Amino acid sequence: MKTTYKILASVCALYSSVVLSSSANSGNGLPPLNLDVEQATVSGLSSGGYMATQFHIAHSDWVKGAGIIAAGPYYCAQNDITTALNQCVNKVDTPINLDALSSVAVDYASEGSIAPLTGLKDAKVWLFHGTNDVRVTAQASDLLYRQYQNWTDTQNIVYVNDQSAAHHFPTLKEGSNCSVSESPFIGNCNYDAAGSMLNHLLPNLTAPDDTVSGKVYTISQQKLSGSDGETLAEKGFVFVPENCAEGESCSLHISFHGCNQYAEVVGDSYVTKTGINRWADDNNIVVLYPQTKRSLFMPLNPQGCWDWWGYSSDDYANRKGAQISAVTNMIKGINTGAANKTTMNTGTANND
């Protein structure tokens, strides 16, 4: 057990302890939301990047874009923690067979466990790997780029790999020194990753002003996701711009934190300091920030990573997977406005 714990600690080596600030809890309850979930987008850092890729590929029929920071190809870990460590994080001990990984997606699509891969053709994809990132290799991120090239029109893919950032979410002025990877894994890099990403994923965005008038609301992940939320924290968070709170139709973006970056560890840093809310506020984008939790028992997840190697189930990378299903249920649960027209296809996952 001690050996397994050490292995899991190193695979998630991302991120420190702070009490969640009051800014992440409006206390007034989530307002009714009218979301266009048929054009949703996702993003994530590291384990959250792997999860964002999985969620995108599972639901590419209604998730139309993905922004991935510091993560490798879909199904890289192949449902095995040893493979994850040896090939998908800070080293590649043996060559990665990209065709074999992609063939898993083909099989999943043929059985209906993920959306048809043809849905990825017109997707918008934004990838990032910092030149000072030693937590996830450039080779792993390069392979994700190649994998998306096989599925998506190349003109729709942007790969940023020339910024001198360490392993974190780069921002204009928030976080730690750009060359350092430390909690809360947000980097002061004079680079607006959130803006670069969102402007690629979504058309015709308005440049944000200096104030954020929207609010972050707390939701009960357990209530919304049911038994599928067993490996998630009790609380998740939703950023809601004022116009969206007043009932206007709004876009939806889902952003997945990295290991040791969940709220119990870093407070509201990931929820409020990446720059995503700044752009969302002036562009009618509601942002869902789902949260994991750490577990020192089976399923073992001591650093609160998203499941990209199979700790929750063998189906972790498809629609049947508990975490993908749980987040899907959260989206359905928060989309409660009077004009709600949620028709997203949830496939074979248990989303009742």
Side-chain angles (χ1 to χ4, degrees):
M1 182 61 73
K2 289 182 178 179
T3 300
T4 303
Y5 184 98
K6 290 179 180 179
I7 289 175
L8 286 170
S10 59
V11 75
C12 297
L14 276 167
Y15 329 113
S16 227
S17 164
V18 141
V19 177
L20 185 65
S21 78
S22 60
S23 66
N25 187 350
S26 72
N28 296 322
L30 187 70
L33 298 176
N34 178 24
L35 304 178
D36 179 9
V37 297
E38 299 302 314
Q39 301 293 324
T41 55
V42 295
S43 64
L45 166 65
S46 201
S47 80
Y50 275 107
M51 185 64 183
T53 300
Q54 291 168 181
F55 199 88
H56 182 208
I57 290 172
H59 291 305
S60 63
D61 45 350
W62 53 271
V63 177
K64 300 303 183 179
I68 314 298
I69 298 176
Y74 178 78
Y75 209 66
C76 186
Q78 301 175 64
N79 198 30
D80 181 78
I81 185 63
T82 302
T83 300
L85 285 169
N86 290 339
Q87 293 190 316
C88 308
V89 191
N90 62 349
K91 59 182 178 178
V92 181
D93 283 348
T94 57
I96 297 173
N97 187 336
L98 193 62
D99 290 339
L101 301 183
S102 298
S103 70
V104 174
V106 173
D107 291 341
Y108 281 158
S110 67
E111 66 186 37
S113 296
I114 63 172
L117 293 173
T118 52
L120 292 168
K121 183 177 186 299
D122 296 322
K124 293 293 186 71
V125 178
W126 184 91
L127 308 175
F128 182 95
H129 187 275
T131 59
N132 289 330
D133 188 343
V134 295
R135 299 288 185 91
V136 172
T137 65
Q139 185 175 350
S141 290
D142 291 348
L143 286 170
L144 178 61
Y145 176 48
R146 283 177 49 195
Q147 194 174 49
Y148 265 117
Q149 285 179 309
N150 292 330
W151 293 327
T152 305
D153 282 348
T154 55
Q155 64 185 7
N156 291 338
I157 306 173
V158 168
Y159 184 19
V160 180
N161 58 359
D162 60 354
Q163 295 291 317
S164 57
H167 189 77
H168 50 224
F169 198 117
T171 73
L172 282 173
K173 57 183 179 181
E174 296 283 356
S176 306
N177 185 294
C178 190
S179 63
V180 177
S181 179
E182 63 184 15
S183 183
F185 301 91
I186 294 171
N188 184 343
C189 297
N190 194 31
Y191 177 75
D192 186 7
S196 177
M197 171 185 70
L198 290 172
N199 275 281
H200 178 67
L201 301 185
L202 299 166
N204 304 316
L205 294 187
T206 298
D209 55 31
D210 293 332
T211 61
V212 175
S213 57
K215 296 180 180 178
V216 178
Y217 294 83
T218 301
I219 59 171
S220 172
Q221 296 189 137
Q222 298 300 320
K223 182 177 180 181
L224 292 174
S225 60
S227 60
D228 288 326
E230 180 182 356
T231 61
L232 304 185
E234 166 56 34
K235 294 178 180 179
F237 305 97
V238 184
F239 174 76
V240 182
E242 282 188 345
N243 290 341
C244 303
E246 293 171 358
E248 289 192 21
S249 178
C250 291
S251 303
L252 174 68
H253 183 79
I254 308 104
S255 192
F256 297 96
H257 61 74
C259 303
N260 276 340
Q261 208 179 25
Y262 55 102
E264 186 179 345
V265 173
V266 300
D268 65 1
S269 291
Y270 189 80
V271 175
T272 64
K273 296 181 179 179
T274 63
I276 292 176
N277 295 352
R278 178 171 166 266
W279 282 91
D281 195 52
D282 291 324
N283 288 283
N284 287 3
I285 304 170
V286 169
V287 188
L288 172 63
Y289 293 98
Q291 301 289 306
T292 60
K293 63 181 179 182
R294 75 170 188 160
S295 173
L296 302 181
F297 305 97
M298 299 303 292
L300 191 61
N301 183 25
Q303 297 196 17
C305 305
W306 287 97
D307 187 6
W308 61 277
W309 68 86
Y311 70 74
S312 61
S313 78
D314 293 349
D315 289 313
Y316 67 94
N318 65 53
R319 287 173 171 173
K320 299 176 185 177
Q323 291 186 350
I324 290 177
S325 181
V327 174
T328 304
N329 282 338
M330 285 183 223
I331 295 167
K332 294 169 65 177
I334 67 174
N335 194 18
T336 55
N340 181 352
K341 297 180 181 179
T342 303
T343 60
M344 60 192 193
N345 180 8
T346 56
T348 57
N350 180 14
N351 293 313
D352 296 334

